[in-house]
Amino acid sequence: MATLFVDKLDPQSGTALEIGSSGDTITIPSGATITNSGTANNFGGDNTPMFKASMSGNQSIANETFVKGAFNTEIFDTNSAYDTSNYRFTVPSGKDGKYCFVSLTAIDNLDSGEAQSSAYYINGSIDNLSYNTQWVSKGTNGFGVVNNVFIKTLAAGNYVELFVSHNEGASQNLSATYSSFSGYKLIT
Amino acid sequence: MASLSSKITAYASANGVSSVDFTKDVSLQDDSNGQGPYIKEWNLAIAKPSDAELTAAETAADAAEALATVYTARRQAYGSVESQLDLQYHDSKDGTTTWVDHVAKVKTDNPKS
């Protein structure tokens, strides 16, 4: 193997410099350091798709019923993967991978011993590993928020929805002021 | 109109099931598509109710919800356990009936029917 000793590589013409060809492996050996002081494109990923949605108004949640959160307002949606008509995030083509979902769901008027829950549904079915419940200990009319963080490996076409429930006894509002549904692809 | 959970509770009670755990026995779901809530899973030993059976349970469910509303109002009006114990302490010490009068007024202000 020949060794090329130079201090700098520049393109012979123009401004584009290509190293190697398709199928080649470029290796930085152990103990060596590569430093980027410019712009690095397509290294490490960028956490997209990424979305966040809220609600335009409070949503009535029936007692003892898992109700899909009607998050009908996009705050951001990098890949147009969130649908405000059915409140669903769908993994776009070519975006298989691990995703992190984060939600805040707030329900008012809960009394001591009552609970509120949230869970993510994958392709229409509850994922029990995402089930999150908060029991209220305040005497009467407590206001609680469930913070639900959930990581899931998903493939293109898989869709994710957020459902909430409570056992107050009568219908109660999911607060538009404090509730949101968001998610993003993890860099792996 | 009573909620689906109340109608199922009333239906179950009429068929010998004293309580329903809606996290295990029966799962209700609403897909927020305008169709309303429905029974997603039914794990009770008694038969899953038909629409007609749920409609028949409406009156009992309405009564149960009305009663629950009364109990909620009373619970709020009674005040905390600590404040009621304080009333009882002063009643014992001073020979008054403040706590009994308070409870009686809450019940009168929030009748069951």
Side-chain angles (χ1 to χ4, degrees):
Chain A
M1 182 175 70
T3 300
L4 181 63
F5 291 98
V6 293
D7 293 323
K8 186 178 181 189
L9 290 176
D10 276 335
Q12 182 186 25
S13 62
T15 57
L17 177 67
E18 184 173 306
I19 300 174
S21 300
S22 176
D24 293 348
T25 299
I26 312 297
T27 303
I28 308 299
S30 175
T33 301
I34 183 168
T35 302
N36 170 45
S37 300
T39 301
N41 294 323
N42 301 320
F43 283 93
D46 58 4
N47 287 120
T48 59
M50 178 187 295
F51 75 97
K52 184 170 186 176
S54 61
M55 299 190 299
S56 59
N58 293 341
Q59 179 185 7
S60 179
I61 307 296
N63 183 54
E64 297 280 24
T65 304
F66 255 104
V67 181
K68 189 198 296 186
F71 295 94
N72 59 0
T73 304
E74 285 181 353
I75 298 172
F76 52 80
D77 182 13
T78 61
N79 293 61
S80 300
Y82 185 80
D83 189 334
T84 55
S85 68
N86 55 18
Y87 324 122
R88 174 184 296 178
F89 169 78
T90 303
V91 177
S93 176
K95 296 295 183 181
D96 298 18
K98 290 180 172 58
Y99 282 79
C100 180
F101 296 92
V102 181
S103 61
L104 294 169
T105 48
I107 295 177
D108 205 355
N109 293 324
L110 300 177
D111 305 322
S112 180
E114 296 170 349
Q116 63 179 112
S117 304
S118 75
Y120 296 100
Y121 279 49
I122 312 298
N123 299 329
S125 297
I126 188 171
D127 190 316
N128 288 322
L129 296 179
S130 74
Y131 190 91
N132 194 337
T133 295
Q134 179 197 49
W135 288 90
V136 173
S137 60
K138 188 178 188 301
T140 55
N141 293 338
F143 187 86
V145 179
V146 171
N147 181 2
N148 195 335
V149 179
F150 177 61
I151 294 175
K152 180 77 176 178
T153 300
L154 298 171
N158 289 165
Y159 62 91
V160 182
E161 300 155 314
L162 177 65
F163 279 68
V164 300
S165 71
H166 68 83
N167 64 354
E168 196 277 341
S171 292
Q172 295 297 335
N173 282 338
L174 177 63
S175 167
T177 304
Y178 299 108
S179 301
S180 64
F181 174 29
S182 59
Y184 56 92
K185 187 175 184 291
L186 294 173
I187 299 170
T188 55
Chain B
M1 192 175 84
S3 68
L4 180 57
S5 61
S6 295
K7 287 189 279 190
I8 287 173
T9 300
Y11 165 81
S13 177
N15 286 276
V17 178
S18 59
S19 68
V20 179
D21 184 338
F22 284 95
T23 63
K24 296 174 184 170
D25 301 331
V26 178
S27 176
L28 305 182
Q29 188 165 313
D30 184 336
D31 295 327
S32 296
N33 56 5
Q35 301 300 306
Y38 60 93
I39 299 172
K40 175 81 169 178
E41 272 185 38
W42 185 266
N43 300 315
L44 288 172
I46 60 174
K48 180 179 171 180
S50 63
D51 289 345
E53 287 170 319
L54 287 176
T55 300
E58 183 95 43
T59 302
D62 281 337
E65 287 190 355
L67 191 58
T69 301
V70 171
Y71 284 142
T72 298
R74 285 185 177 184
R75 192 163 52 242
Q76 294 175 16
Y78 284 142
S80 68
V81 171
E82 291 87 345
S83 65
Q84 292 186 66
L85 285 172
D86 190 57
L87 289 177
Q88 291 187 1
Y89 164 75
H90 285 290
D91 283 345
S92 294
K93 187 165 158 283
D94 304 333
T96 55
T97 59
T98 311
W99 178 74
V100 170
D101 295 344
H102 170 64
V103 171
K105 184 174 189 312
V106 169
K107 289 178 182 290
T108 303
D109 289 349
N110 301 280
K112 288 185 179 177
S113 59

